[in-house]
């Protein structure tokens, strides 16, 4: 493995230890975002500290990189994460348009210590009517107004 890539992964792993420390209870996950051979964003799990279930290491690192770079997409960047991304983080990585993912531990390793996302992998492909959380359409006609306005804006219509 490329020495520089290994160093980036070591930094992600180092960040994962923050959540493993006694009394912190954040979760043992860390991530860094790299662009042109430099770390431009980093994060560790902050779900408990932020009272935010979306504050996973990868999401925190994406937010950090976007803020530092002044962008909302991270094309040309890579993410190094101490564990295979969960479905939420994987989606965030795709939305951010990161070019490559490197990971240490697998999702099975995470499940073995109590961080099991298997139910999400099972839920996502189910039809809406079969999911554990009820999903029901409501006020679509009213909601469409914002989409119509956006479409006109994008087409430069007045």
């Amino acid at each position: 493995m490329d020495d520089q890539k290994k160093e980036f992964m070591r930094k992600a792993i180092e960040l994962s230890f923050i959540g493993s420390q006694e009394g912190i209870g954040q979760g043992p996950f860390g991530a860094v975002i790299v662009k042109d051979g430099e770390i431009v964003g980093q994060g560790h799990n902050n779900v408990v500290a932020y009272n935010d279930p979306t504050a996973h290491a990868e999401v925190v690192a994406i937010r950090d990189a976007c803020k530092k770079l002044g962008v909302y997409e991270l094309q040309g960047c890579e993410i190094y994460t101490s564990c295979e991304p969960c479905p939420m983080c994987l989606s965030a990585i795709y939305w951010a348009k990161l070019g490559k993912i490197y990971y240490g531990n697998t999702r099975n390793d995470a499940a073995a210590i109590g961080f099991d996302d298997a139910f999400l992998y099972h839920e996502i492909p189910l039809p809406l009517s079969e999911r554990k959380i009820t999903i029901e359409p409501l006020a679509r006609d009213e909601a469409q107004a914002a989409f119509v306005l956006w479409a006109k804006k994008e087409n430069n219509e007045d």
Side-chain angles (χ1 to χ4, degrees):
M1 175 185 267
D2 178 301
D3 285 344
Q4 189 176 39
K5 289 178 182 175
K6 208 171 207 174
E7 285 305 310
F8 294 140
M9 182 56 76
R10 285 184 181 130
K11 179 62 178 175
I13 293 167
E14 176 186 316
L15 290 165
S16 76
F17 277 92
I18 294 172
S20 297
Q21 294 174 6
E22 188 175 334
I24 294 178
Q26 295 292 345
F29 304 98
V32 297
I33 308 286
V34 174
K35 182 174 180 137
D36 299 326
E38 291 189 31
I39 294 175
V40 295
Q42 64 182 25
H44 60 84
N45 187 296
N46 277 294
V47 169
V48 176
Y50 294 177
N51 289 319
D52 179 353
T54 69
H56 290 198
E58 297 90 339
V59 173
V60 173
I62 288 168
R63 290 172 181 163
D64 186 44
C66 287
K67 184 175 180 180
K68 285 180 180 170
L69 296 174
V71 299
Y72 63 91
E73 292 180 343
L74 296 170
Q75 293 166 327
C77 296
E78 302 173 333
I79 188 166
Y80 294 76
T81 179
S82 64
C83 187
E84 182 180 354
C86 73
M88 177 188 70
C89 292
L90 185 59
S91 296
I93 289 165
Y94 273 91
W95 279 112
K97 296 185 171 45
L98 287 154
K100 191 162 189 176
I101 302 166
Y102 296 94
Y103 68 91
N105 294 306
T106 68
R107 64 175 131 169
N108 294 327
D109 296 331
I113 62 164
F115 294 91
D116 189 358
D117 297 324
F119 76 97
L120 289 171
Y121 290 102
H122 175 75
E123 282 282 301
I124 291 169
L126 290 176
L128 299 181
S129 63
E130 294 179 25
R131 292 188 183 171
K132 299 237 185 286
I133 296 176
T134 302
I135 300 176
E136 182 178 323
L138 182 64
R140 182 171 180 254
D141 292 343
E142 294 174 40
Q144 283 287 304
F147 280 18
V148 168
L149 182 63
W150 179 261
K152 284 181 180 178
K153 176 184 162 241
E154 287 296 297
N155 294 324
N156 294 317
E157 295 178 13
D158 291 317

